[in-house]
Each structure stands twice: as C-alpha cells, then as structure tokens.
Amino acid sequence: MGCAGSREKVVGSGSDTSKKIRKPKPWKHTEAITREQLTQMREEFWDTAPHYGGRREIWDALRAAAEADLTLAQAIVDGAGVIVQNPDLTVCYDERGAKYELPKYVVSEPTNLIREN
C-alpha cells in the first residue's frame, strides 16, 4: 500500500507539497540589456515554453505567478497544484510529475538592466 501514501502526498493541497516562494537572488545577464530586450526575451519564452511539454494551464499559472508579488504568486501556485522545487520558481513540477524550468530572466530583472530615462 505504499502507492497510496505516495498518491496522497501528490494529490494533497499545494501547501503541503510546495515550498514557500522567495524573491530570486540577484543575478547578472551576460551583457547589459534594456527593459525592452528583457520583455522580448520573456515573451519569446512564454510563447514557446508550452511546446516543449507540460500542461498549458500550468504554464499559464507559472507566468501569472512570475509576474505577481510573492503573496499572490504563492496563492497561484498552490491553487494550481504546482509543486515548487526551487523557491525562486526556476524549477517546478505539476501533480503528474512534469517538470517546468523557468529561466532567471522571467522571474526577476538582472542587476545590469539598462535603466532608460
């Protein structure tokens, strides 16, 4: 009956299987980029990510969480049944075990972002 115990853990509410989300650590892009370039990179990622596997609704939830404040992001991933492996959302799983990897640039801004006036 070990399977039943495993199943309960996966099917349980997100709060008992996911870590608390934290702000990502500061990071630096390989070269300084503008906000416009960062936005373009993010759009390209979100447009293509679902084509590499996983469920569309989980990708949508991860995007909403990545673009929200920490409290709302936690509620989104818990509500969607996302299992957070890394507290900065860079590695997550759905309840079926599919892995979702998010690059740093979709969860936070680089320290060398060019600020345009």
Side-chain angles (χ1 to χ4, degrees):
M1 291 300 208
C3 292
S6 298
R7 181 172 165 76
E8 283 179 27
K9 185 174 182 181
V10 172
V11 174
S13 69
S15 60
D16 63 353
T17 58
S18 73
K19 295 180 180 179
K20 186 159 176 65
I21 297 173
R22 290 188 312 218
K23 185 177 178 180
K25 293 179 182 175
W27 64 280
K28 189 174 184 176
H29 194 272
T30 53
E31 58 185 56
I33 60 172
T34 65
R35 181 167 305 282
E36 184 178 323
Q37 290 170 310
L38 179 63
T39 300
Q40 170 118 15
M41 290 168 58
R42 288 176 173 175
E43 288 299 322
E44 287 175 10
F45 173 79
W46 292 119
D47 287 346
T48 59
H51 301 290
Y52 294 101
R55 298 185 331 211
R56 174 56 126 177
E57 60 270 20
I58 299 297
W59 284 114
D60 290 345
L62 288 172
R63 181 176 186 167
E67 295 173 353
D69 64 55
L70 293 177
T71 305
L72 181 55
Q74 187 73 55
I76 291 168
V77 297
D78 288 348
V82 174
I83 300 163
V84 178
Q85 178 70 37
N86 291 352
D88 63 1
L89 290 179
T90 54
V91 179
C92 301
Y93 294 88
D94 66 20
E95 292 174 330
R96 296 178 182 171
K99 186 175 184 179
Y100 299 81
E101 293 185 81
L102 305 182
K104 290 179 184 179
Y105 63 81
V106 300
V107 294
S108 67
E109 295 178 348
T111 56
N112 59 341
L113 184 69
I114 299 170
R115 309 259 181 218
E116 298 170 356
N117 294 338

